[in-house]
Amino acid sequence: MSAPLLDIRDLSVSFRTYQGRAHVLDRACLTVNRGEVMGLVGETGCGKSVLSRAVLRIIPSPPGSIDGGEILFEGRDLLTLPRTDMRRLRGERISMIFQEPMNSLNPVFTVGNQMREVVRAHRKASRSEATDACLEMLAAVRLPEPGSVLRAYPHELSGGMRQRVMIAMALICNPSLLLADEPTTALDVTVQGQILAILAELAERQGLSILFVTHDMGVVAQLCNRVAVMYAGQVVEVADVQSIFARPAHPYTRGLIASIPGRSSGGELYAIPGSVPNPIDPPPGCRFHDRCLKATGDCRNVAPEMIRVVPDHSVACHLFNQDGLS
Ligand SMILES: Nc1ncnc2c1ncn2[C@@H]1O[C@H](COP(=O)(O)OP(=O)(O)OP(=O)(O)O)[C@@H](O)[C@H]1O
Ligand SMILES: [Mg+2]
């Protein structure tokens, strides 16, 4: 099998805060293969956005610092790449879209001005060549009347249209990796469905890999090929999407799946008891142990390593054994 497109190894990130140093990522590992859509799920505050921003090296420093690990992209460690190379890579090889497109679009310029600038920052193109590329990309994200969208200011568009513009801008230089940080959370379900369909189609057509951050397991089921489950700054389970729903191995993953509306027996919505631990003083052993109904002495004291469940499915849990019982 060829090397993954993105290979994050033992990534640790912390932030200086008034209460002390917050260890937000602790030796997190994750891979994204070429052409796949990888889901990254976990409760609020578990480090999903920090991990995706670390890939682009856009963690504010201070207060943040990358304390260790490697982020191999197309075989090169992004953490040691010179700034100029990193700048070129952003937008050209790796792009990112965020939850709230208004924060990424400049309100005083038209969509056309902003999109053309992206094109011309990365390749030699005349104004009309750049315009043609923009129109083509706006049509690819199924915006009706791309010409009038190009002339519009961001505030003249709906939330769903703005998100499509963001996707078009992110993909216009044909990157090989798209980091999508909850890009559909602010949209209503119908528009969310349309955006997911567009992303799936573009991923397939352009051979694009996507790291799709969400806390919605329903979205994972709809879009992703594989999924990584994060808990308190660590990746605790990785599997292909069928296995994660059919045989979730980590008690936390089981809790997340049981929390999907309509999944739990009896019709009541399940909620995992407790909350994500404070990254300033994370618990020893397995970080999930004080929310886990089956935790043992080992769970309280020894950090579990990733073990293989079956090929393409790994879990970090002391309770897992090869019979699949935990
Ligand atoms: N600039 C910062 N300074 C201090 N702490 C930060 C900073 N950015 C993030 N954190 C902390 O890092 C942790 C992880 O944050 P992150 O935004 O990655 O969570 P998340 O998994 O994306 O959550 P959500 O689902 O709500 O988006 C949180 O505890 C957060 O408070
Ligand atoms: Mg986030």
Side-chain angles (χ1 to χ4, degrees), residues 88-115:
R88 198 167 323 124
L89 211 105
R90 285 190 202 113
E92 205 169 297
R93 308 294 305 137
I94 309 177
S95 287
M96 187 155 184
I97 49 175
F98 300 92
Q99 181 172 342
E100 190 22 87
M102 211 50 195
N103 295 342
S104 316
L105 289 166
N106 191 327
V108 301
F109 293 107
T110 63
V111 168
N113 274 329
Q114 300 181 57
M115 277 190 90

Short mmCIF file of all heavy atoms in Angstrom, two decimals, residues 88-115:
data_model
loop_
_atom_site.label_atom_id
_atom_site.label_comp_id
_atom_site.label_asym_id
_atom_site.label_seq_id
_atom_site.Cartn_x
_atom_site.Cartn_y
_atom_site.Cartn_z
N ARG A 88 3.44 28.68 0.37
CA ARG A 88 3.09 28.24 -0.97
C ARG A 88 2.14 27.03 -0.92
O ARG A 88 1.21 26.88 -1.70
CB ARG A 88 4.35 27.90 -1.76
CG ARG A 88 4.07 27.86 -3.24
CD ARG A 88 5.32 27.83 -4.11
NE ARG A 88 6.42 28.63 -3.61
CZ ARG A 88 7.64 28.15 -3.37
NH1 ARG A 88 7.91 26.88 -3.58
NH2 ARG A 88 8.59 28.95 -2.94
N LEU A 89 2.40 26.17 0.06
CA LEU A 89 1.61 24.95 0.21
C LEU A 89 0.15 25.23 0.57
O LEU A 89 -0.77 24.56 0.12
CB LEU A 89 2.26 24.14 1.33
CG LEU A 89 2.16 22.66 1.25
CD1 LEU A 89 3.51 22.11 0.81
CD2 LEU A 89 1.84 22.11 2.62
N ARG A 90 -0.03 26.27 1.40
CA ARG A 90 -1.38 26.64 1.83
C ARG A 90 -2.18 27.13 0.63
O ARG A 90 -1.77 28.06 -0.05
CB ARG A 90 -1.35 27.77 2.86
CG ARG A 90 -0.91 27.34 4.21
CD ARG A 90 -1.15 28.46 5.22
NE ARG A 90 -0.28 28.24 6.35
CZ ARG A 90 0.74 29.03 6.70
NH1 ARG A 90 0.98 30.13 6.03
NH2 ARG A 90 1.47 28.73 7.74
N GLY A 91 -3.32 26.54 0.42
CA GLY A 91 -4.17 26.96 -0.70
C GLY A 91 -3.82 26.21 -1.98
O GLY A 91 -4.69 25.93 -2.78
N GLU A 92 -2.54 25.89 -2.15
CA GLU A 92 -2.14 25.24 -3.40
C GLU A 92 -2.19 23.72 -3.27
O GLU A 92 -2.70 23.03 -4.14
CB GLU A 92 -0.71 25.69 -3.73
CG GLU A 92 -0.38 25.61 -5.19
CD GLU A 92 0.93 26.32 -5.47
OE1 GLU A 92 1.00 27.56 -5.27
OE2 GLU A 92 1.89 25.64 -5.86
N ARG A 93 -1.65 23.19 -2.15
CA ARG A 93 -1.68 21.73 -1.94
C ARG A 93 -2.66 21.34 -0.83
O ARG A 93 -3.20 20.26 -0.82
CB ARG A 93 -0.28 21.21 -1.56
CG ARG A 93 0.85 21.62 -2.49
CD ARG A 93 0.74 21.03 -3.88
NE ARG A 93 0.65 19.59 -3.87
CZ ARG A 93 -0.19 18.88 -4.63
NH1 ARG A 93 -1.01 19.49 -5.46
NH2 ARG A 93 -0.21 17.58 -4.55
N ILE A 94 -2.79 22.24 0.17
CA ILE A 94 -3.72 21.98 1.29
C ILE A 94 -4.59 23.23 1.46
O ILE A 94 -4.06 24.34 1.57
CB ILE A 94 -2.97 21.76 2.62
CG1 ILE A 94 -1.87 20.70 2.47
CG2 ILE A 94 -3.93 21.37 3.73
CD1 ILE A 94 -1.04 20.48 3.73
N SER A 95 -5.90 23.03 1.50
CA SER A 95 -6.82 24.15 1.74
C SER A 95 -7.67 23.85 2.95
O SER A 95 -7.80 22.70 3.36
CB SER A 95 -7.76 24.35 0.57
OG SER A 95 -7.09 24.89 -0.49
N MET A 96 -8.31 24.91 3.46
CA MET A 96 -9.16 24.69 4.64
C MET A 96 -10.45 25.48 4.49
O MET A 96 -10.45 26.60 3.98
CB MET A 96 -8.39 25.15 5.88
CG MET A 96 -9.11 24.82 7.16
SD MET A 96 -7.94 24.69 8.53
CE MET A 96 -9.07 24.18 9.82
N ILE A 97 -11.54 24.86 4.92
CA ILE A 97 -12.81 25.60 5.02
C ILE A 97 -13.32 25.51 6.45
O ILE A 97 -13.12 24.50 7.12
CB ILE A 97 -13.88 25.12 4.01
CG1 ILE A 97 -14.03 23.59 4.03
CG2 ILE A 97 -13.58 25.61 2.63
CD1 ILE A 97 -15.17 23.10 3.13
N PHE A 98 -13.95 26.60 6.89
CA PHE A 98 -14.35 26.70 8.29
C PHE A 98 -15.88 26.71 8.40
O PHE A 98 -16.59 26.83 7.42
CB PHE A 98 -13.80 27.99 8.90
CG PHE A 98 -12.30 28.05 8.87
CD1 PHE A 98 -11.64 28.64 7.80
CD2 PHE A 98 -11.54 27.51 9.90
CE1 PHE A 98 -10.26 28.70 7.76
CE2 PHE A 98 -10.15 27.57 9.86
CZ PHE A 98 -9.51 28.17 8.80
N GLN A 99 -16.31 26.65 9.67
CA GLN A 99 -17.74 26.61 9.95
C GLN A 99 -18.46 27.88 9.47
O GLN A 99 -19.53 27.82 8.90
CB GLN A 99 -17.92 26.46 11.46
CG GLN A 99 -19.36 26.36 11.89
CD GLN A 99 -19.45 26.03 13.37
OE1 GLN A 99 -18.50 25.56 13.98
NE2 GLN A 99 -20.59 26.27 13.94
N GLU A 100 -17.84 29.04 9.73
CA GLU A 100 -18.53 30.30 9.44
C GLU A 100 -17.81 31.02 8.29
O GLU A 100 -16.80 31.67 8.49
CB GLU A 100 -18.53 31.15 10.71
CG GLU A 100 -19.40 32.39 10.66
CD GLU A 100 -20.53 32.39 9.63
OE1 GLU A 100 -21.63 31.90 9.92
OE2 GLU A 100 -20.31 32.92 8.52
N PRO A 101 -18.34 30.87 7.06
CA PRO A 101 -17.62 31.43 5.91
C PRO A 101 -17.45 32.95 5.98
O PRO A 101 -16.50 33.48 5.42
CB PRO A 101 -18.49 31.04 4.71
CG PRO A 101 -19.81 30.63 5.25
CD PRO A 101 -19.59 30.21 6.66
N MET A 102 -18.36 33.64 6.69
CA MET A 102 -18.27 35.10 6.75
C MET A 102 -16.95 35.53 7.40
O MET A 102 -16.42 36.60 7.10
CB MET A 102 -19.47 35.65 7.52
CG MET A 102 -19.94 37.01 7.08
SD MET A 102 -20.19 37.19 5.29
CE MET A 102 -20.26 38.95 5.18
N ASN A 103 -16.42 34.69 8.29
CA ASN A 103 -15.15 35.03 8.94
C ASN A 103 -13.98 34.94 7.98
O ASN A 103 -12.91 35.51 8.23
CB ASN A 103 -14.87 34.10 10.14
CG ASN A 103 -15.88 34.30 11.23
OD1 ASN A 103 -16.56 35.32 11.26
ND2 ASN A 103 -15.99 33.34 12.13
N SER A 104 -14.13 34.16 6.92
CA SER A 104 -13.01 33.97 5.99
C SER A 104 -13.13 34.84 4.74
O SER A 104 -12.17 35.00 4.01
CB SER A 104 -12.93 32.51 5.54
OG SER A 104 -13.09 31.66 6.64
N LEU A 105 -14.34 35.37 4.50
CA LEU A 105 -14.51 36.23 3.32
C LEU A 105 -14.38 37.69 3.76
O LEU A 105 -14.84 38.06 4.83
CB LEU A 105 -15.89 36.01 2.71
CG LEU A 105 -16.09 34.67 2.01
CD1 LEU A 105 -17.57 34.41 1.73
CD2 LEU A 105 -15.30 34.61 0.71
N ASN A 106 -13.76 38.48 2.91
CA ASN A 106 -13.61 39.90 3.24
C ASN A 106 -14.88 40.65 2.80
O ASN A 106 -15.24 40.62 1.62
CB ASN A 106 -12.38 40.45 2.51
CG ASN A 106 -12.00 41.83 3.00
OD1 ASN A 106 -12.86 42.61 3.37
ND2 ASN A 106 -10.71 42.10 3.01
N PRO A 107 -15.57 41.32 3.75
CA PRO A 107 -16.87 41.93 3.39
C PRO A 107 -16.77 43.10 2.42
O PRO A 107 -17.76 43.46 1.79
CB PRO A 107 -17.41 42.41 4.75
CG PRO A 107 -16.24 42.51 5.65
CD PRO A 107 -15.23 41.51 5.16
N VAL A 108 -15.59 43.71 2.26
CA VAL A 108 -15.52 44.92 1.42
C VAL A 108 -15.09 44.64 -0.03
O VAL A 108 -15.02 45.55 -0.84
CB VAL A 108 -14.59 46.01 2.03
CG1 VAL A 108 -15.09 46.42 3.40
CG2 VAL A 108 -13.16 45.53 2.10
N PHE A 109 -14.82 43.37 -0.34
CA PHE A 109 -14.48 43.02 -1.73
C PHE A 109 -15.52 42.07 -2.31
O PHE A 109 -16.09 41.26 -1.58
CB PHE A 109 -13.10 42.37 -1.80
CG PHE A 109 -11.98 43.30 -1.46
CD1 PHE A 109 -11.30 43.17 -0.26
CD2 PHE A 109 -11.61 44.31 -2.34
CE1 PHE A 109 -10.26 44.04 0.06
CE2 PHE A 109 -10.57 45.18 -2.02
CZ PHE A 109 -9.89 45.03 -0.83
N THR A 110 -15.71 42.15 -3.60
CA THR A 110 -16.64 41.21 -4.24
C THR A 110 -16.03 39.80 -4.21
O THR A 110 -14.81 39.63 -4.05
CB THR A 110 -16.91 41.57 -5.72
OG1 THR A 110 -15.68 41.47 -6.43
CG2 THR A 110 -17.49 42.98 -5.85
N VAL A 111 -16.91 38.82 -4.41
CA VAL A 111 -16.44 37.43 -4.48
C VAL A 111 -15.39 37.31 -5.59
O VAL A 111 -14.34 36.67 -5.41
CB VAL A 111 -17.65 36.48 -4.75
CG1 VAL A 111 -17.18 35.08 -5.13
CG2 VAL A 111 -18.55 36.44 -3.52
N GLY A 112 -15.66 37.95 -6.71
CA GLY A 112 -14.74 37.86 -7.85
C GLY A 112 -13.35 38.37 -7.51
O GLY A 112 -12.34 37.73 -7.82
N ASN A 113 -13.30 39.53 -6.85
CA ASN A 113 -11.99 40.08 -6.46
C ASN A 113 -11.21 39.10 -5.60
O ASN A 113 -10.02 38.90 -5.78
CB ASN A 113 -12.20 41.37 -5.65
CG ASN A 113 -12.32 42.57 -6.58
OD1 ASN A 113 -11.74 42.57 -7.64
ND2 ASN A 113 -13.10 43.56 -6.17
N GLN A 114 -11.92 38.51 -4.64
CA GLN A 114 -11.23 37.62 -3.70
C GLN A 114 -10.81 36.31 -4.35
O GLN A 114 -9.73 35.80 -4.12
CB GLN A 114 -12.14 37.34 -2.49
CG GLN A 114 -12.48 38.62 -1.76
CD GLN A 114 -13.36 38.41 -0.54
OE1 GLN A 114 -13.00 37.66 0.36
NE2 GLN A 114 -14.49 39.08 -0.51
N MET A 115 -11.69 35.79 -5.21
CA MET A 115 -11.35 34.51 -5.85
C MET A 115 -10.20 34.67 -6.84
O MET A 115 -9.30 33.86 -6.91
CB MET A 115 -12.57 33.95 -6.58
CG MET A 115 -13.49 33.18 -5.67
SD MET A 115 -14.74 32.31 -6.62
CE MET A 115 -13.95 30.73 -6.91
#
